[in-house]
Amino acid sequence: MFDLLIASLQSLDWTVLLALCAASFCAGLIDAMVGGGGLIQVPALFGLLPTVGHATLLGTNKVSSVVGTGFAAYRYSRAVPVPWNAALPATAMALLGAYVGAYVVTQVSTQTLRLLLPVLLVAVAAYTFLRKDLGSVHAPRLNVQQERLYGALAGLLIGFYDGFFGPGTGSFLLLAFVVVFGFDFLAATASAKLVNVACNVASLAWFAPAGHVLLGLGLLMACFNVAGAKVGSGLAIRNGAGFVRKALLLVVGLLILRTSYDSYWPLLKPLF
């Protein structure tokens, strides 16, 4: 088994491997703070491995992401009190939502969602920017039963979105835990990491049995993703909620640029 993994890596150019490992480190760093690591890692895979099928690249991305996000979730759980009343139901329902979403995406087109996503991200950025005190204080506003119910709904809906499409999932989760539940950015990030792990596991449950995973490459990238997650989670925990807010605005801004280009440039290109 180990020999097969090594052989699969030897078939790739070392410069490609180096670039993918660097991208995975950066993705892990950003994702551990506010989500959005796919903004770096997915385009790197698609750009550097153009002959590999899309489903296989997405499956390989999930191998790396689930390990890095799992490490970040563990790191946060050791350093930040996790609001389990909301986080556990959200995590459990995200498994179901992401698996169903991964199935549905094979049956219908995502074009409408692609066009709407930049608009949704602009709304997220505007709301976060205008609310200067957003996420600065941990002041839960729901009772125990409400936290469990809303946590389950958030996990199901955002988990479905992650399996169906994906970009910005971490940012949407983070904002949901801050706005709906009243958590500060650190508690919200810790909760979002747990839900993200569930989303990645559910997606892998769809991709892996179908053979859509380059396991050797995915495990190598996972090592660098964990290294990035260690640095990113450390920065967030050490610098607090204000730092996470600024990082969220930066990442959402980059997501707006990327998703706008992906969604609208193919429509506008024939005009030029």
Side-chain angles (χ1 to χ4, degrees), residues 73-267:
Y74 169 76
R75 188 92 185 272
Y76 277 107
S77 69
R78 295 291 299 273
V80 179
V82 178
W84 294 107
N85 266 329
L88 279 182
T91 301
M93 294 306 293
L95 284 167
L96 174 62
Y99 188 84
V100 173
Y103 167 75
V104 173
V105 75
T106 65
Q107 310 298 316
V108 300
S109 171
T110 62
Q111 184 58 31
T112 300
L113 190 55
R114 287 180 183 276
L115 296 175
L116 286 176
L117 182 59
V119 179
L120 294 175
L121 288 168
V122 167
V124 168
Y127 186 84
T128 305
F129 180 77
L130 294 173
R131 290 286 303 276
K132 303 296 184 183
D133 61 340
L134 187 69
S136 60
V137 177
H138 188 66
R141 59 174 60 97
L142 305 176
N143 61 41
V144 172
Q145 289 75 21
Q146 288 174 325
E147 282 193 348
R148 290 172 180 168
L149 175 61
Y150 291 173
L153 287 174
L156 182 65
L157 293 175
I158 300 179
F160 176 85
Y161 168 78
D162 185 70
F164 183 73
F165 194 50
T169 296
S171 301
F172 288 137
L173 281 168
L174 181 57
L175 196 65
F177 281 117
V178 171
V179 174
V180 178
F181 295 86
F183 299 162
D184 65 22
F185 273 122
L186 285 181
T189 302
S191 303
K193 292 301 111 187
L194 291 168
V195 180
N196 253 334
V197 171
C199 291
N200 288 332
V201 168
S203 298
L204 268 179
W206 178 264
F207 287 120
H212 293 308
V213 170
L214 299 174
L215 187 57
L217 178 59
L219 291 175
L220 176 64
M221 292 176 66
C223 295
F224 287 85
N225 200 283
V226 166
K230 182 176 182 180
V231 175
S233 57
L235 285 171
I237 293 167
R238 189 162 55 248
N239 293 292
F243 173 80
V244 176
R245 178 181 179 273
K246 293 175 183 176
L248 175 64
L249 283 170
L250 175 62
V251 170
V252 171
L254 294 173
L255 276 168
I256 290 169
L257 294 176
R258 178 72 198 189
T259 56
S260 297
Y261 176 82
D262 290 343
S263 303
Y264 291 102
W265 178 242
L267 301 177

Side-chain angles (χ1 to χ4, degrees), residues 11-86:
S11 64
L12 298 174
D13 187 89
W14 71 269
T15 57
V16 171
L17 285 176
L18 186 62
L20 288 174
C21 289
S24 191
F25 176 86
C26 294
L29 187 149
I30 291 174
D31 202 68
M33 290 190 290
V34 291
L39 177 71
I40 297 174
Q41 191 161 275
V42 173
L45 281 164
F46 275 71
L48 293 169
L49 299 175
T51 62
V52 179
H54 288 187
T56 300
L57 293 177
L58 291 173
T60 303
N61 171 66
K62 290 299 182 184
V63 172
S64 173
S65 297
V66 74
V67 177
T69 306
F71 175 83
Y74 169 76
R75 188 92 185 272
Y76 277 107
S77 69
R78 295 291 299 273
V80 179
V82 178
W84 294 107
N85 266 329

